[in-house]
Amino acid sequence: MAWNRWYGIRSYIGSSLWVVPFIALVVEQIVLRGALALSGKLDWTPLWPLAQEATATALQTIITLTLSFLVFTFGSILVAIQVASGQLTPRIIATALLRDNVIRLTAGLFVFTLLFAIGAGARLGPSGPRLILWLAGFLGLASVAAFLYLIDYAARLLRPGSILWRIAEDGRQVVKDVYPRPVQAADGGLRAPPLGEPILAIPHRGGAGVVIAVNIPALVAEARRADCLVELVPRVGDFVGAGDPLFRLFGGQRAVDQKRLTGSVALAPERTIEQDATFALRVIVDVAIKALSPAINDPTTGVLAIDQLHRLLRLIGQRHLHDEIVADADGKGRLVLRTPNWDDFVQLACSEIRLYGAGNFQIARRLRAMIEDLIANLPERRRPPLRQELRLLDQAIDRFYFSPEDQALARAPDMQGLGGGSVAGRT
């Protein structure tokens, strides 16, 4: 199977809620049969305190409870999806809710307990195996405890601050994986020169989708085998339609394996966060600008979003962003892979929030505090785009505020938006 198919399957499994409960179904059958085999070698009868009728009632209670827990869990997820889509952004459904391991494992526990209790009840008798009754009882207690925990966890999960924190944490991990090297003071990155006319263009022949991941080592290895330079036309996160150019080839002594090249690019119906460093910022910015819309008018959530953008930009600014030319082991350029540069990250994090939020004191002050802090703490070569954003913020403040007092208040940096600035900053 091609790499992109394996990657697509893995990504689908990682964002599917039904997978863990299905695995729990299989594991339950194995555990039940193992417990039956083990109970034949142990005398558990004196240790079981309930009579047969009471045991049947207890098992039926466990079945009823776990079935109710399952209904509540999946119903709560549907409500959470509706609330999150309306108040935050639909893009957190796949990035945060469906990938949440606590929800997936809790649903798996409920399915496991339900089926195990049914299996124990079917084998109940005067001399039935007592080990499975003990296991069913412990599983019932564990399910009740997990359900109580899930209620608290779900309430905390749906808070904007928690959602934004989780997305930022995922984004930080992606940045560390995709950009492992720290930035150097004089390291400007290697940009691809003009490549001229390609000897071959390879179009995308499958269904339309978004590029979510690229197998860089496989592309470099194939380019080295054919002794050519391969250019990947779309970037990770770009939409590619059927017939759109996918690769361009330059030079080469041998024919390339087109199937291997196309199999090294994974597409999906929508963007994911695994290799797309800008997508985490995109989701957080979407939450911020929706909170700043007149229909919602929640600038405090916008401040929470800027808090997480601040963390991400500081980390990205300290990393060496990808060279556009990827070399092989001999140091010869083999792959042209265009990635976002520092200007792209800064514009993505600041531009739309400035456009929709500069008229609010909280957003203007928190945005300035972020930019000034980044200017003070990042290398000099990262500062020009930040200074440009600061100038644009000042121009926006001049358009939105007419009195000098309001302009001075909006220009004061404040990590809390309002209420956290120093006296000197306010004056």
Side-chain angles (χ1 to χ4, degrees):
M1 186 180 293
W3 176 86
N4 58 356
R5 292 188 180 273
W6 278 114
Y7 191 91
I9 293 173
R10 188 183 68 179
S11 179
Y12 174 76
I13 291 175
S15 61
S16 296
L17 188 61
W18 65 271
V19 174
V20 174
F22 179 78
I23 295 174
L25 185 152
V26 178
V27 174
E28 181 272 335
Q29 293 295 313
I30 298 173
V31 173
L32 180 61
R33 281 158 176 76
L36 287 172
L38 184 60
S39 63
K41 302 178 181 179
L42 300 173
D43 185 14
W44 287 77
T45 303
L47 301 178
W48 183 249
L50 300 179
Q52 182 175 350
E53 292 183 0
T55 301
T57 302
L59 290 175
Q60 187 60 45
T61 302
I62 293 174
I63 293 171
T64 303
L65 284 175
T66 51
L67 186 60
S68 301
F69 294 163
L70 279 172
V71 173
F72 177 86
T73 300
F74 287 102
S76 299
I77 291 174
L78 292 177
V79 173
I81 289 174
Q82 292 177 348
V83 172
S85 300
Q87 298 296 321
L88 299 174
T89 173
R91 274 153 291 283
I92 69 169
I93 296 174
T95 56
L97 296 180
L98 296 183
R99 292 179 178 269
D100 188 274
N101 288 327
V102 172
I103 297 175
R104 287 147 57 96
L105 292 174
T106 304
L109 174 63
F110 294 157
V111 170
F112 186 96
T113 304
L114 173 65
L115 297 176
F116 196 92
I118 293 174
R123 292 162 177 82
L124 183 62
S127 60
R130 303 309 183 192
L131 176 58
I132 63 172
L133 299 179
W134 279 105
L135 291 176
F138 285 129
L139 287 170
L141 293 176
S143 295
V144 172
F147 177 72
L148 296 176
Y149 173 77
L150 181 63
I151 295 175
D152 178 74
Y153 179 83
R156 297 174 184 272
L157 175 65
L158 292 178
R159 295 182 302 179
S162 299
I163 291 289
L164 292 168
W165 178 273
R166 290 168 60 88
I167 296 172
E169 284 297 302
D170 292 341
R172 286 173 61 86
Q173 187 59 50
V174 172
V175 170
K176 293 176 182 178
D177 293 340
V178 176
Y179 308 114
R181 293 170 47 197
V183 67
Q184 303 297 326
D187 188 1
L190 182 60
R191 296 300 172 187
L195 300 177
E197 290 295 325
I199 62 170
L200 178 65
I202 302 176
H204 173 57
R205 296 185 175 89
V210 177
V211 178
I212 61 171
V214 179
N215 189 352
I216 297 177
L219 293 177
V220 172
E222 180 60 23
R224 182 176 182 178
R225 187 195 63 80
D227 193 19
C228 67
L229 177 65
V230 176
E231 176 192 9
L232 178 62
V233 178
R235 297 196 318 189
V236 174
D238 287 355
F239 178 83
V240 179
D244 289 347
L246 191 60
F247 293 100
R248 295 192 184 102
L249 274 60
F250 301 87
Q253 303 298 321
R254 290 178 293 275
V256 299
D257 187 345
Q258 296 189 21
K259 187 175 181 180
R260 186 178 182 187
L261 287 181
T262 56
S264 299
V265 180
L267 276 70
E270 60 181 350
R271 295 172 69 178
T272 62
I273 205 170
E274 284 88 353
Q275 288 192 14
D276 193 348
T278 59
F279 189 54
L281 278 76
R282 176 72 271 166
V283 175
I284 296 174
V285 169
D286 285 349
V287 173
I289 60 179
K290 177 166 280 191
L292 296 173
S293 66
I296 297 179
N297 193 23
D298 183 13
T300 302
T301 297
V303 170
L304 295 176
I306 298 175
D307 291 342
Q308 303 308 320
L309 292 173
H310 192 168
R311 296 175 62 215
L312 286 171
L313 285 179
R314 179 178 290 192
L315 177 63
I316 295 169
Q318 296 170 349
R319 299 279 166 163
H320 170 75
L321 305 183
H322 273 168
D323 296 330
E324 289 188 353
I325 298 180
V326 182
D328 59 13
D330 298 328
K332 186 174 182 179
R334 294 299 185 184
L335 174 66
V336 177
L337 179 69
R338 293 181 174 83
T339 57
N341 56 31
W342 175 242
D343 290 23
D344 296 329
F345 285 109
V346 173
Q347 292 170 4
L348 175 58
C350 299
S351 299
E352 291 175 292
I353 295 178
R354 183 190 69 247
L355 176 64
Y356 295 109
N360 184 280
F361 288 117
Q362 288 192 64
I363 301 301
R365 289 159 63 93
R366 181 61 185 92
L367 195 60
R368 178 180 294 274
M370 178 185 76
I371 297 173
E372 291 185 353
D373 179 77
L374 294 175
I375 291 175
N377 291 284
L378 293 182
E380 176 60 35
R381 53 185 301 269
R382 299 297 195 203
R383 296 174 183 174
L386 296 169
R387 294 192 180 104
Q388 174 67 13
E389 288 295 330
L390 202 58
R391 287 193 294 269
L392 294 174
L393 179 60
D394 285 332
Q395 294 174 12
I397 289 173
D398 290 338
R399 291 195 306 268
F400 280 109
Y401 303 95
F402 299 101
S403 67
E405 293 81 4
D406 285 345
Q407 290 180 357
L409 183 64
R411 283 193 170 94
D414 191 339
M415 285 291 185
Q416 297 182 19
L418 272 176
S422 65
V423 176
R426 288 197 296 269
T427 57

